[in-house]
Amino acid sequence: GAVVSQHPSWVICKSGTSVKIECRSLDFQATTMFWYRQFPKQSLMLMATSNEGSKATYEQGVEKDKFLINHASLTLSTLTVTSAHPEDSSFYICSAQQGGSTNEKLFFGSGTQLSVL
Amino acid sequence: LAKTTQPISMDSYEGQEVNITCSHNNIATNDYITWYQQFPSQGPRFIIQGYKTKVTNEVASLFIPADRKSSTLSLPRVSLSDTAVYYCLVGDRDRDDKIIFGKGTRLHILP
Protein backbone atom coordinates (compact mmCIF):
# COMPACT_ATOMS: atom_id res chain seq x y z
CA GLY A 1 0.00 0.00 0.00
CA ALA A 2 0.90 3.64 -0.32
CA VAL A 3 3.22 5.08 2.30
CA VAL A 4 3.23 8.55 3.80
CA SER A 5 6.32 9.46 5.77
CA GLN A 6 6.11 12.17 8.41
CA HIS A 7 9.08 13.65 10.25
CA PRO A 8 9.98 14.26 12.94
CA SER A 9 8.02 11.84 15.13
CA TRP A 10 8.42 14.10 18.09
CA VAL A 11 9.95 17.43 18.80
CA ILE A 12 10.53 19.51 21.91
CA CYS A 13 11.20 23.18 21.47
CA LYS A 14 11.39 26.37 23.43
CA SER A 15 8.61 28.89 23.34
CA GLY A 16 9.10 31.38 20.53
CA THR A 17 10.94 29.09 18.16
CA SER A 18 9.62 27.68 14.89
CA VAL A 19 9.20 24.03 14.06
CA LYS A 20 8.89 22.45 10.64
CA ILE A 21 7.12 19.15 10.06
CA GLU A 22 7.53 17.28 6.78
CA CYS A 23 5.06 15.00 5.10
CA ARG A 24 6.14 12.94 2.09
CA SER A 25 4.26 10.51 -0.09
CA LEU A 26 6.89 7.90 -0.85
CA ASP A 27 5.41 5.87 -3.67
CA PHE A 28 2.66 7.97 -5.13
CA GLN A 29 1.93 11.52 -6.12
CA ALA A 30 -0.40 13.29 -3.74
CA THR A 31 -2.54 15.90 -5.37
CA THR A 32 -4.05 16.84 -2.04
CA MET A 33 -2.64 16.74 1.47
CA PHE A 34 -4.39 17.45 4.72
CA TRP A 35 -3.03 18.57 8.07
CA TYR A 36 -4.76 17.67 11.32
CA ARG A 37 -4.05 18.25 14.96
CA GLN A 38 -5.23 16.00 17.71
CA PHE A 39 -5.43 16.56 21.45
CA PRO A 40 -5.36 13.63 23.87
CA LYS A 41 -8.43 11.41 23.60
CA GLN A 42 -10.03 13.64 21.03
CA SER A 43 -10.68 13.20 17.34
CA LEU A 44 -8.62 14.62 14.53
CA MET A 45 -9.30 18.28 13.83
CA LEU A 46 -8.71 19.42 10.28
CA MET A 47 -6.40 22.41 10.15
CA ALA A 48 -5.91 22.93 6.44
CA THR A 49 -6.10 21.40 3.00
CA SER A 50 -3.28 21.88 0.56
CA ASN A 51 -3.10 21.24 -3.14
CA GLU A 52 0.20 21.10 -4.95
CA GLY A 53 1.22 24.46 -6.34
CA SER A 54 -1.53 26.49 -4.73
CA LYS A 55 -2.20 28.15 -1.41
CA ALA A 56 -3.55 26.06 1.40
CA THR A 57 -7.14 26.41 2.52
CA TYR A 58 -7.31 26.89 6.27
CA GLU A 59 -10.16 25.95 8.54
CA GLN A 60 -11.93 28.60 10.51
CA GLY A 61 -9.97 29.52 13.61
CA VAL A 62 -6.62 28.29 12.29
CA GLU A 63 -4.13 31.12 11.90
CA LYS A 64 -2.49 30.86 8.52
CA ASP A 65 0.40 33.10 9.56
CA LYS A 66 1.13 30.84 12.49
CA PHE A 67 0.74 27.51 10.73
CA LEU A 68 2.53 27.91 7.42
CA ILE A 69 1.82 25.18 4.90
CA ASN A 70 3.82 24.63 1.76
CA HIS A 71 2.93 21.99 -0.82
CA ALA A 72 5.67 22.66 -3.32
CA SER A 73 5.66 19.27 -5.03
CA LEU A 74 3.36 16.31 -5.52
CA THR A 75 5.28 14.35 -2.89
CA LEU A 76 6.05 16.89 -0.18
CA SER A 77 4.06 19.14 2.09
CA THR A 78 5.43 20.96 5.10
CA LEU A 79 3.79 22.51 8.13
CA THR A 80 5.75 25.16 9.99
CA VAL A 81 4.56 26.19 13.43
CA THR A 82 5.94 29.68 13.81
CA SER A 83 6.72 31.26 17.15
CA ALA A 84 5.45 28.20 18.95
CA HIS A 85 3.83 28.55 22.37
CA PRO A 86 2.86 25.93 24.93
CA GLU A 87 -0.74 25.95 23.70
CA ASP A 88 0.52 24.74 20.32
CA SER A 89 1.64 21.50 21.94
CA SER A 90 -0.33 18.78 20.22
CA PHE A 91 -0.15 15.74 17.97
CA TYR A 92 0.03 16.82 14.32
CA ILE A 93 -0.88 14.38 11.56
CA CYS A 94 -0.71 14.72 7.80
CA SER A 95 -2.57 12.70 5.24
CA ALA A 96 -2.37 12.41 1.50
CA GLN A 97 -4.81 11.56 -1.22
CA GLN A 98 -3.62 10.25 -4.52
CA GLY A 99 -6.43 11.25 -6.82
CA GLY A 100 -9.15 13.82 -6.97
CA SER A 101 -12.06 11.45 -6.51
CA THR A 102 -14.20 12.17 -3.49
CA ASN A 103 -13.92 8.56 -2.45
CA GLU A 104 -10.18 8.15 -2.60
CA LYS A 105 -8.93 6.66 0.61
CA LEU A 106 -6.50 8.58 2.77
CA PHE A 107 -2.98 7.60 3.67
CA PHE A 108 -1.70 9.02 6.93
CA GLY A 109 1.68 9.87 8.30
CA SER A 110 2.69 8.50 11.69
CA GLY A 111 2.19 11.86 13.35
CA THR A 112 4.41 14.38 15.12
CA GLN A 113 4.15 15.03 18.83
CA LEU A 114 5.06 18.65 19.45
CA SER A 115 5.88 19.79 22.97
CA VAL A 116 6.56 23.48 23.48
CA LEU A 117 8.26 24.38 26.74
CA LEU B 1 -19.65 18.72 10.72
CA ALA B 2 -19.12 15.02 10.39
CA LYS B 3 -21.98 13.22 8.72
CA THR B 4 -21.64 10.10 10.85
CA THR B 5 -22.69 8.91 14.31
CA GLN B 6 -20.92 6.10 16.15
CA PRO B 7 -20.91 4.82 19.73
CA ILE B 8 -18.33 6.66 21.77
CA SER B 9 -16.84 3.52 23.27
CA MET B 10 -17.17 -0.25 23.36
CA ASP B 11 -15.63 -3.02 25.43
CA SER B 12 -15.20 -6.62 24.36
CA TYR B 13 -13.13 -9.67 25.21
CA GLU B 14 -10.39 -11.42 23.34
CA GLY B 15 -11.65 -13.97 20.85
CA GLN B 16 -15.05 -12.32 20.45
CA GLU B 17 -16.50 -10.84 17.30
CA VAL B 18 -16.96 -7.09 17.56
CA ASN B 19 -19.46 -5.12 15.53
CA ILE B 20 -19.33 -1.34 15.41
CA THR B 21 -22.24 0.41 13.76
CA CYS B 22 -22.11 3.81 12.13
CA SER B 23 -25.16 5.88 11.17
CA HIS B 24 -25.01 8.07 8.11
CA ASN B 25 -28.56 9.10 7.31
CA ASN B 26 -27.58 11.74 4.78
CA ILE B 27 -25.28 9.61 2.69
CA ALA B 28 -25.14 10.75 -0.92
CA THR B 29 -25.56 8.50 -3.93
CA ASN B 30 -21.89 8.62 -4.85
CA ASP B 31 -20.52 8.32 -1.31
CA TYR B 32 -18.47 5.35 -0.23
CA ILE B 33 -18.10 4.30 3.40
CA THR B 34 -14.57 4.05 4.74
CA TRP B 35 -13.30 2.90 8.12
CA TYR B 36 -9.98 3.85 9.69
CA GLN B 37 -8.21 2.53 12.78
CA GLN B 38 -6.00 4.64 15.01
CA PHE B 39 -3.66 3.44 17.74
CA PRO B 40 -2.39 5.88 20.37
CA SER B 41 0.28 8.25 19.12
CA GLN B 42 -0.04 7.02 15.55
CA GLY B 43 -1.77 8.25 12.44
CA PRO B 44 -4.96 6.47 11.38
CA ARG B 45 -4.74 3.62 8.92
CA PHE B 46 -7.24 2.42 6.35
CA ILE B 47 -9.18 -0.72 7.26
CA ILE B 48 -11.92 -1.20 4.71
CA GLN B 49 -14.13 0.61 2.24
CA GLY B 50 -17.44 -0.30 0.70
CA TYR B 51 -20.42 1.01 -1.24
CA LYS B 52 -23.16 -1.54 -0.66
CA THR B 53 -23.88 -5.06 0.60
CA LYS B 54 -20.81 -6.73 2.04
CA VAL B 55 -17.09 -6.27 1.69
CA THR B 56 -14.51 -8.51 3.31
CA ASN B 57 -10.75 -8.33 3.50
CA GLU B 58 -8.09 -9.97 5.62
CA VAL B 59 -8.77 -7.61 8.53
CA ALA B 60 -12.51 -6.99 8.70
CA SER B 61 -15.90 -7.17 7.07
CA LEU B 62 -18.18 -4.28 6.27
CA PHE B 63 -21.92 -4.76 6.09
CA ILE B 64 -24.05 -2.13 4.39
CA PRO B 65 -27.85 -2.48 4.20
CA ALA B 66 -29.78 -1.65 1.07
CA ASP B 67 -30.73 1.86 2.21
CA ARG B 68 -27.04 2.58 3.02
CA LYS B 69 -28.04 4.77 5.97
CA SER B 70 -25.81 2.78 8.26
CA SER B 71 -22.91 0.41 8.11
CA THR B 72 -21.36 -2.13 10.47
CA LEU B 73 -17.69 -2.86 10.80
CA SER B 74 -17.15 -6.43 11.95
CA LEU B 75 -13.87 -7.52 13.51
CA PRO B 76 -13.65 -11.32 13.86
CA ARG B 77 -12.01 -12.83 16.93
CA VAL B 78 -10.46 -9.68 18.32
CA SER B 79 -7.23 -9.63 20.26
CA LEU B 80 -5.75 -7.13 22.69
CA SER B 81 -3.95 -5.47 19.79
CA ASP B 82 -7.28 -4.44 18.29
CA THR B 83 -7.71 -1.91 21.08
CA ALA B 84 -7.88 1.35 19.16
CA VAL B 85 -10.18 4.11 17.98
CA TYR B 86 -12.23 3.31 14.89
CA TYR B 87 -13.51 6.06 12.63
CA CYS B 88 -16.26 5.81 10.07
CA LEU B 89 -16.14 8.30 7.21
CA VAL B 90 -18.73 8.77 4.51
CA GLY B 91 -17.57 10.05 1.17
CA ASP B 92 -14.23 11.67 1.70
CA ARG B 93 -15.20 15.26 1.43
CA ASP B 94 -18.18 17.28 2.39
CA ARG B 95 -19.55 19.86 0.00
CA ASP B 96 -16.79 22.24 0.99
CA ASP B 97 -14.17 19.74 -0.12
CA LYS B 98 -13.02 18.96 3.41
CA ILE B 99 -12.39 15.63 5.06
CA ILE B 100 -13.87 15.70 8.52
CA PHE B 101 -13.47 13.08 11.20
CA GLY B 102 -16.19 12.33 13.69
CA LYS B 103 -15.51 11.33 17.26
CA GLY B 104 -14.88 7.69 16.45
CA THR B 105 -15.46 4.63 18.62
CA ARG B 106 -12.91 3.79 21.30
CA LEU B 107 -12.73 -0.01 21.38
CA HIS B 108 -11.19 -1.60 24.43
CA ILE B 109 -10.42 -5.31 24.30
CA LEU B 110 -10.16 -7.06 27.64
CA PRO B 111 -8.22 -10.27 28.33
Side-chain angles (χ1 to χ4, degrees):
Chain A
V3 177
V4 173
S5 175
Q6 184 174 343
H7 293 281
S9 299
W10 58 270
V11 56
I12 302 172
C13 69
K14 292 182 179 180
S15 186
T17 61
S18 294
V19 174
K20 180 184 282 188
I21 303 170
E22 288 191 352
C23 181
R24 293 180 183 272
S25 55
L26 297 186
D27 50 2
F28 69 100
Q29 292 185 326
T31 55
T32 305
M33 287 187 172
F34 303 90
W35 287 94
Y36 297 84
R37 68 186 299 183
Q38 186 176 35
F39 294 107
K41 301 206 172 178
Q42 293 189 23
S43 185
L44 285 75
M45 296 191 312
L46 181 65
M47 298 177 66
T49 302
S50 73
N51 293 294
E52 183 265 340
S54 61
K55 290 184 178 181
T57 302
Y58 290 82
E59 292 302 295
Q60 191 172 9
V62 178
E63 300 176 56
K64 60 182 178 182
D65 293 332
K66 180 166 186 63
F67 298 99
L68 300 178
I69 292 173
N70 187 297
H71 193 162
S73 76
L74 285 172
T75 59
L76 174 64
S77 178
T78 60
L79 167 67
T80 301
V81 184
T82 62
S83 187
H85 291 284
E87 58 265 30
D88 299 323
S89 298
S90 187
F91 190 58
Y92 293 87
I93 309 169
C94 70
S95 71
Q97 195 166 45
Q98 185 171 4
S101 166
T102 58
N103 291 304
E104 289 281 343
K105 60 186 178 186
L106 299 172
F107 300 99
F108 289 85
S110 54
T112 298
Q113 182 63 53
L114 171 63
S115 297
V116 184
L117 305 179
Chain B
L1 295 176
K3 300 185 283 188
T4 61
T5 303
Q6 305 173 230
I8 295 296
S9 65
M10 293 179 66
D11 289 340
S12 187
Y13 291 92
E14 278 192 295
Q16 300 292 307
E17 177 184 82
V18 172
N19 296 309
I20 305 174
T21 297
C22 178
S23 296
H24 28 80
N25 291 318
N26 297 321
I27 188 169
T29 303
N30 295 329
D31 285 345
Y32 279 68
I33 300 153
T34 311
W35 286 79
Y36 294 88
Q37 175 192 54
Q38 185 183 27
F39 297 114
S41 299
Q42 293 186 29
R45 73 174 184 122
F46 171 84
I47 300 177
I48 197 166
Q49 183 182 66
Y51 183 80
K52 62 179 180 180
T53 62
K54 177 184 175 182
V55 179
T56 297
N57 61 21
E58 64 277 7
V59 176
S61 294
L62 179 60
F63 298 92
I64 305 168
D67 66 5
R68 303 201 325 121
K69 293 182 182 298
S70 67
S71 59
T72 299
L73 174 72
S74 181
L75 305 173
R77 295 184 299 281
V78 293
S79 64
L80 295 176
S81 62
D82 292 315
T83 294
V85 179
Y86 293 82
Y87 296 96
C88 161
L89 271 70
V90 171
D92 272 350
R93 295 172 177 166
D94 68 11
R95 63 176 182 272
D96 294 323
D97 206 38
K98 295 179 279 192
I99 298 182
I100 304 295
F101 276 74
K103 297 184 186 301
T105 297
R106 192 170 296 274
L107 176 63
H108 187 203
I109 304 302
L110 304 167

